[in-house]
Amino acid sequence: MDHKTFYLAVFLCMVFHSVNALPLRTHYEKPDDDPLNCNFYDKSCPNLSMIVRWGVLSAFKNDTRIGASLLRMHFHDCFVDGCEGSILLDDTKSFKGEKNAVPNRNSVRGYDVIENIKAEVEKSCPSIVSCVDILALAAREAVVLSGGPFWEVPLGRLDGLTASAKSANEQLPSPFEPLENITSKFVSKGLDLKDVVVLSGAHTIGFAQCFTFKRRLFNFKGSGKPDPTLDSSVLSSLRNSCPNTDKSNTKLAPLDSQTINSFDNMYYKNLVNNTGLLESDQALVGDPKTASMVKDYSVDPNLFARDFAASMVKISRIGVISSGGGGQVRKKCSSVN
């Protein structure tokens, strides 16, 4: 299949998905104090959405994992000092940035995709669109291309001028943390327990490195035994994929082994069946409040799609810079102007 045929086929699939998913489209309701606007670039850069869409499509052609990677990058950007594109900045003499922070180093992927899209956007409308807005749009397109819901992305953010590895190390949730700690980090960002459960559903796509779940297989909480809640057949399979040696630490396992590349509600079905991969994910069925939501999402994919879209809009409004000297529109996403 040549490039043109590929793009046409994928585009038609997107159109088909969008038409059939109209009830799941989440329309952005703008709060009175929100400086962002879904129509922000309609006049200044009218082709923006299409440029981002084709950029993500092009990346998908060569790497089916990129959807999960772009979604995760957007989350990691917004969760650390707000949505201001700080995760995209290279280190400088004046700061050590987020790219090499512990949760991101050799883990976050897709920087080149955002940089390539930014270059195309600059050709069409130079010095108009921020990198952080491109990242927010790319995350939406990644979800839609994976079969997930469409939502209107509020726009008008400026790119930040600095980044902090320390902030990333402290603020990002860890798969090794108890649910209580993770929830506290979400609450500190203006999110709630429901957002914890629904945004964890992003793990319906993507992969995790073995070191993030290996202790569940061999030494759960220092017991020298596997996690007793983990399904025995899954345990056996994962032990084969991730043997108890340091060499296996960076090997990958799908977060949802049932529908690896499909954005659906299978993640929640896995949790109900005790086959969740990460300790922090499986913990969601151990608390009555979160367990009830997990059950609801496991039986109602439309409910999950709607709530996920709504939570993504909430995430995208955290700590934005929209005016003043604290931000700019970067010409390159990896460095300030």
Side-chain angles (χ1 to χ4, degrees), residues 100-120:
N100 290 307
V102 174
N104 298 332
R105 185 173 59 243
N106 300 320
S107 174
V108 171
R109 310 165 61 250
Y111 297 113
D112 57 328
V113 176
I114 300 302
E115 203 71 74
N116 290 340
I117 295 173
K118 173 62 173 176
E120 291 301 314

Side-chain angles (χ1 to χ4, degrees), residues 237-257:
S237 175
L238 289 174
R239 279 182 159 181
N240 287 331
S241 302
C242 298
N244 196 20
T245 64
D246 290 342
K247 290 182 180 180
S248 71
N249 283 346
T250 57
K251 287 187 176 182
L252 299 174
L255 287 159
D256 168 16
S257 61

Side-chain angles (χ1 to χ4, degrees), residues 282-297:
Q282 196 59 51
L284 294 176
V285 298
D287 182 294
K289 294 179 182 178
T290 53
S292 62
M293 286 185 272
V294 168
K295 183 178 180 181
D296 289 342
Y297 293 139

Side-chain angles (χ1 to χ4, degrees), residues 12-185:
L12 290 174
C13 286
M14 288 178 62
V15 172
F16 178 81
H17 171 77
S18 296
V19 170
N20 285 275
L22 283 176
L24 304 181
R25 294 170 71 96
T26 296
H27 295 283
Y28 173 63
E29 295 183 6
K30 180 178 169 63
D32 293 338
D33 60 348
D34 189 350
L36 306 183
N37 191 314
C38 294
N39 303 315
F40 190 83
Y41 297 110
D42 280 6
K43 293 183 179 179
S44 60
C45 193
N47 295 325
L48 173 61
S49 293
M50 187 59 69
I51 295 172
V52 175
R53 182 170 299 135
W54 286 113
V56 176
L57 266 171
S58 179
F60 255 88
K61 177 181 178 295
N62 299 312
D63 180 7
T64 55
R65 289 175 54 204
I66 199 63
S69 298
L70 293 173
L71 178 57
R72 183 167 181 255
M73 186 191 294
H74 177 48
F75 176 84
H76 278 219
D77 177 45
C78 291
F79 219 83
V80 179
D81 298 330
C83 304
E84 21 73 297
S86 55
I87 196 171
L88 302 169
L89 288 172
D90 289 337
D91 293 353
T92 69
K93 293 181 180 179
S94 60
F95 65 79
K96 183 177 180 181
E98 297 165 29
K99 284 185 176 181
N100 290 307
V102 174
N104 298 332
R105 185 173 59 243
N106 300 320
S107 174
V108 171
R109 310 165 61 250
Y111 297 113
D112 57 328
V113 176
I114 300 302
E115 203 71 74
N116 290 340
I117 295 173
K118 173 62 173 176
E120 291 301 314
V121 170
E122 285 295 299
K123 292 177 184 178
S124 180
C125 34
S127 301
I128 296 294
V129 183
S130 64
C131 294
V132 63
D133 275 351
I134 289 173
L135 178 54
L137 286 168
R140 191 268 308 280
E141 296 303 329
V143 170
V144 172
L145 276 172
S146 301
F150 176 96
W151 64 92
E152 295 178 345
V153 179
L155 300 167
R157 305 166 192 78
L158 292 175
D159 297 315
L161 306 179
T162 188
S164 169
K166 182 175 183 291
S167 291
N169 288 331
E170 293 174 351
Q171 295 176 26
L172 285 169
S174 163
F176 308 111
E177 288 185 289
L179 179 59
E180 181 180 359
N181 289 19
I182 293 173
T183 302
S184 294
K185 289 184 176 182

